[in-house]
Amino acid sequence: MLDRYLLRYFLAVVDQGNFSRAAAHCNVSQPTLSVGIAKLERTLGTPLFVRTNQRVELTEAGSRFLVHARRIEREFNLAIGSMSPTDHPPSLRLGVLGSVPSVLVAQAVAAARPMKHYRFELIFGSERELTSHLAKGRIDIALTLVQRGGERFLEKPVCTEGYALAMPADHPLAGQESIAAEELANEVMIVRRHCEALSDTSRHFTERGVRPHFALRSTDDDRVLNLIAAGLGITVMPLCYRRDGVARPLLAGFDLKRTVGWAASAEAEHLLNAPPPLFLAIEQRLADRGTGFPGPI
């Protein structure tokens, strides 16, 4: 029989990265936690971690056990929650990729009002952060990049879109349908530091001998759009971004695309099969933005 505290120790080591932080997370001493992990390994009959002076890594058996340990911990928490008398509605924890326009999500929230039906939590993050949150059960589902070759989560594509320049509407080149990188050699640029296409964008310009001055480096796309409209500089953004005062001509030869969709653990498959109104509202607004052609759904 596996004691739950041993599972908690195991998950803490995985999530915290080493034994000392895991012990602090569990409010026990490091020797106590180490004894617990050793007991768990004896019970299972196999080592779960490879220990070095620098780091702790899962063995192959540990990786297999992790899937079951996450599921057991989630089911235990759900069982405890279901036994507690409460008037609270069901929870819905939604993760959203930081490079999805927040205005689209805000409009969908205003239309669907998920707060009336759920204990709703909204978390913005990078692709890596959302993947981590899903794996650790911190969110139920994520609106993120999909079709990237992983098989860790269930996926449902929503739309596929490309990237384009974003420049002041009164810029002399703003009326062109497509602009070559070489035409921007003397322009001031803005870096969207959180963009999943950042390395591809940088390579596209440097391969063409364009090394511009950067007036701003930001992870806030609303700020970026406002400052582009103010004339501060030019950047590359997904096509779903729009703002008055900002033109969106194509960047010649830059054909990179991304697919945005839902990613969920097996436990949240029902959210893909019977999406709540909020999800449908988000999908509709992505489509209304003309983000490209619909992905296979």
Side-chain angles (χ1 to χ4, degrees):
M1 176 179 176
L2 290 178
D3 291 316
R4 186 184 175 224
Y5 79 91
L6 297 179
L7 291 181
R8 291 179 61 245
Y9 288 178
F10 171 75
L11 292 173
V13 174
V14 173
D15 293 342
Q16 300 301 319
N18 63 46
F19 277 58
S20 60
R21 287 198 296 267
H25 179 78
C26 294
N27 294 314
V28 298
S29 67
Q30 185 170 334
T32 297
L33 183 132
S34 297
V35 168
I37 294 296
K39 179 180 178 180
L40 178 60
E41 291 177 322
R42 287 196 303 271
T43 301
L44 297 175
T46 183
L48 299 174
F49 296 103
V50 177
R51 302 162 176 82
T52 68
N53 292 332
Q54 302 297 323
R55 56 187 176 181
V56 175
E57 296 181 348
L58 284 168
T59 63
E60 181 180 349
S63 296
R64 293 198 305 271
F65 182 66
L66 177 61
V67 176
H68 300 289
R70 296 275 192 214
R71 183 177 296 118
I72 292 169
E73 183 68 9
R74 280 194 294 266
E75 291 296 330
F76 184 90
N77 290 331
L78 287 172
I80 294 297
S82 67
M83 294 297 102
S84 302
T86 177
D87 295 327
H88 290 309
S91 66
L92 176 59
R93 299 168 300 170
L94 171 61
V96 176
L97 186 69
S99 59
V100 170
S102 59
V103 64
L104 299 186
V105 180
Q107 291 169 351
V109 168
R113 296 289 179 180
M115 305 79 70
K116 294 183 177 180
H117 310 288
Y118 299 95
R119 296 179 66 189
F120 182 63
E121 184 176 1
L122 185 61
I123 300 172
F124 285 88
S126 66
E127 181 185 8
R128 179 178 296 181
E129 289 168 340
L130 296 181
T131 297
S132 176
H133 290 333
L134 276 175
K136 296 174 182 178
R138 293 175 179 169
I139 57 177
D140 301 305
I141 193 168
L143 182 69
T144 185
L145 301 182
V146 296
Q147 298 185 335
R148 309 262 283 179
E151 299 179 354
R152 196 172 181 183
F153 306 110
L154 302 174
E155 294 184 352
K156 179 183 178 183
V158 173
C159 65
T160 299
E161 66 175 338
Y163 298 80
L165 294 165
M167 60 171 41
D170 59 359
H171 190 282
L173 300 176
Q176 296 184 194
E177 181 178 348
S178 178
I179 300 173
E182 292 84 350
E183 297 181 76
L184 304 173
N186 297 318
E187 298 290 339
V188 175
M189 303 291 285
I190 293 174
V191 178
R192 298 172 56 250
R193 297 178 61 182
H194 60 300
C195 182
E196 63 280 344
L198 182 58
S199 61
D200 295 277
T201 305
S202 177
R203 183 164 54 251
H204 182 85
F205 281 101
T206 56
E207 287 177 350
R208 289 157 178 79
V210 179
R211 293 175 174 79
H213 169 70
F214 298 110
L216 173 69
R217 293 171 173 84
S218 178
T219 59
D220 185 331
D221 282 320
D222 291 330
R223 179 178 299 155
V224 168
L225 284 170
N226 287 334
L227 289 170
I228 290 172
L232 181 65
I234 298 170
T235 194
V236 175
M237 307 182 79
L239 281 166
C240 56
Y241 282 92
R242 296 180 185 174
R243 185 196 184 283
D244 290 342
V246 175
R248 302 302 318 274
L250 297 177
L251 176 60
F254 191 72
D255 300 321
L256 185 70
K257 296 184 183 297
R258 69 175 189 172
T259 299
V260 178
W262 305 108
S265 64
E267 291 79 5
E269 184 175 6
H270 63 284
L271 293 173
L272 300 180
N273 296 331
L278 174 63
F279 292 11
L280 299 177
I282 290 174
E283 293 178 11
Q284 183 62 55
R285 278 154 182 79
L286 283 171
D288 289 346
R289 280 284 177 125
T291 57
F293 52 91
I297 296 177

